[in-house]
Amino acid sequence: MSWIPFKIGQPKKQLVPKTAVARTNRSAALGVLAAFLGRLHPTRSHIRIDYTLFLLPALADSRPLLLRLLVREVERDFEREYGKLQQLEDQTKKLQKDMKKSTDADLAMSKSAVKISSDLLSNPLCEQEPGFLEMVTAFDTAMKRMDSFNQEKVNQIQKTVIEPLKKFSSVFPSLNVAVKRREQTLQDYRRLQARLEKYEDKERTGPVLAKLHQAREELRPVKEDFEAKNKQLLEEMPKFYSSRIDYFKPSFESLVRAQVVYYTEMHKIFGDLTAQIDRPGLSDEQREGENDAKLSELRALSIVADD
C-alpha cells in the first residue's frame, strides 16, 4: 500500500540555521557517496574520499550531480573491463580462423605432394627407365609418409587447439547477454531516478509528496537490481579475463609439441630419401650446370630451333 499524507496542504516552514543545513547536506552527500561506492563498484570500496570536496556549497547541496558523477566513473570502469573482453573475443575468433586456415593449407600441401608423386609413377618414362622408376618410387613413399604424419599433426591441432578456441568463443554470447540486461536495467534506473529528482525539485504539496513516495518505491527495486548486476559483472569480468592464460597455455604447449614431432619425422623421412636418390659429392652448382648443358642440347635440335 502506498503512503498518503494524512493532511493535505502546505506544511509550515521552520527556521533552520544555514550552517546546520549545510552540515546536514554534507553528511548526506558523504553517506550517499560511500554507499554508492561500495555497491556500484565493490573493487573500489577502499578508495579514500577527499572530504574537502564537500566544503564547496555547490557540490554539497547537489546530491544528484554527485550521483551522476559517480555513476559516470563506474561506467568508465565498466566499459574498460568490458572493452578488454570484447577485444579478447575478437582475437580469439581471429586466432581460431587463422589456425583453421593453417591446418587446411598443411593438408592441401601434403595431398598435392602425394598427387605429384603418383602422377610421376604413372608416367610412361618410369617404365622405360628403371633407375628413374626407383627414384620416383622412393619419392612417392616419402610423400605418403609425410602426408600421414601431417594428418596426425592436423588432428592433434584440431583437438587440442582449434576446439578449445571454439569452446572459449562460445562463452562470450552469454556474457554479452548479461551486459545487455545490465544496460537495460541501467536505462530504467536512470529514467526512474530522473523522475524522482523532478518531484524532489517541486514544492512539497500533498500530491507531490504522494508522487515522490511512489517514485521512490518504484526506483528502489530497479536500483537494487542494477547494483546486483553491476557488482557481479565488475567482480567476474576481470576474473574471466585473467583466466585466459591458464586456459590457453596447455593448447599452445600442445601446438608446439605437435610441430616438433612433425618436423622431427620430416627430418628423418627426407634424410632417408636423400640417401636413396642423391649422388654424393655433387654440389647444387654442378647439378645446375648439368641441367643447363642438357637444355642446350635440346635447343640445338632442329625441331626446336628458332626461325
Side-chain angles (χ1 to χ4, degrees), residues 63-305:
R63 185 171 65 174
L65 174 61
L66 294 175
L67 295 180
R68 285 193 291 270
L69 290 175
L70 185 56
V71 171
R72 189 180 305 168
E73 180 185 359
V74 172
E75 281 300 289
R76 283 198 299 265
D77 294 336
F78 182 88
E79 289 173 2
R80 183 181 63 251
E81 294 298 331
Y82 184 49
K84 289 160 62 176
L85 292 180
Q86 287 179 307
Q87 185 180 23
L88 178 60
E89 180 181 13
D90 293 339
Q91 292 173 342
T92 302
K93 291 180 179 179
K94 184 177 183 301
L95 182 58
Q96 178 186 348
K97 186 177 180 180
D98 291 342
M99 288 300 303
K100 185 65 169 60
K101 286 182 179 180
S102 176
T103 53
D104 288 346
D106 283 348
L107 286 176
M109 179 274 299
S110 61
K111 296 299 181 185
S112 296
V114 171
K115 179 69 166 53
I116 291 173
S117 63
S118 299
D119 290 345
L120 285 173
L121 277 177
S122 61
N123 194 303
L125 179 61
C126 292
E127 300 176 358
Q128 302 171 7
E129 180 59 46
F132 186 65
L133 175 61
E134 182 180 355
M135 181 186 299
V136 172
T137 301
F139 177 67
D140 181 65
T141 301
M143 295 303 99
K144 289 178 179 177
R145 291 178 62 194
M146 178 187 70
D147 182 54
S148 177
F149 281 109
N150 192 39
Q151 185 66 59
E152 291 181 9
K153 179 193 71 173
V154 168
N155 290 341
Q156 181 72 8
I157 293 175
Q158 177 69 32
K159 180 180 178 180
T160 60
V161 181
I162 297 179
E163 286 299 326
L165 284 171
K166 185 177 180 180
K167 291 177 181 178
F168 191 80
S169 296
S170 67
V171 178
F172 288 99
S174 298
L175 169 66
N176 295 330
V177 169
V179 171
K180 289 180 180 179
R181 288 174 179 169
R182 174 195 178 275
E183 178 63 24
Q184 182 60 51
T185 306
L186 177 60
Q187 297 301 324
D188 295 340
Y189 177 26
R190 285 173 171 169
R191 176 177 54 81
L192 294 173
Q193 179 67 34
R195 190 171 72 172
L196 176 63
E197 293 173 5
K198 181 182 70 173
Y199 290 129
E200 286 179 339
D201 293 338
K202 290 184 177 182
E203 185 179 359
R204 300 300 178 90
T205 63
V208 170
L209 288 174
K211 292 180 180 180
L212 182 61
H213 176 74
Q214 183 180 0
R216 285 172 178 165
E217 291 299 312
E218 292 178 358
L219 175 63
R220 185 179 297 110
V222 176
K223 176 183 175 183
E224 292 174 354
D225 187 27
F226 169 72
E227 289 173 352
K229 287 183 170 66
N230 186 72
K231 180 180 179 181
Q232 182 182 26
L233 285 168
L234 282 176
E235 287 178 347
E236 294 185 359
M237 285 194 300
K239 294 178 182 179
F240 179 76
Y241 184 77
S242 62
S243 68
R244 71 197 188 284
I245 302 298
D246 292 336
Y247 182 85
F248 287 124
K249 187 176 180 181
S251 294
F252 291 108
E253 289 175 349
S254 178
L255 173 63
V256 172
R257 286 195 298 269
Q259 298 284 7
V260 169
V261 170
Y262 173 75
Y263 285 107
T264 299
E265 294 298 330
M266 291 306 98
H267 178 74
K268 295 177 182 178
I269 289 172
F270 285 95
D272 294 342
L273 179 61
T274 300
Q276 294 180 58
I277 67 174
D278 197 20
R279 286 181 292 171
L282 197 62
S283 65
D284 292 338
E285 290 78 8
Q286 291 173 322
R287 290 188 177 89
E288 185 177 354
E290 287 185 357
N291 288 338
D292 290 341
K294 294 295 183 182
L295 183 59
S296 297
E297 292 178 6
L298 291 175
R299 287 176 175 173
L301 299 176
S302 59
I303 58 175
V304 296

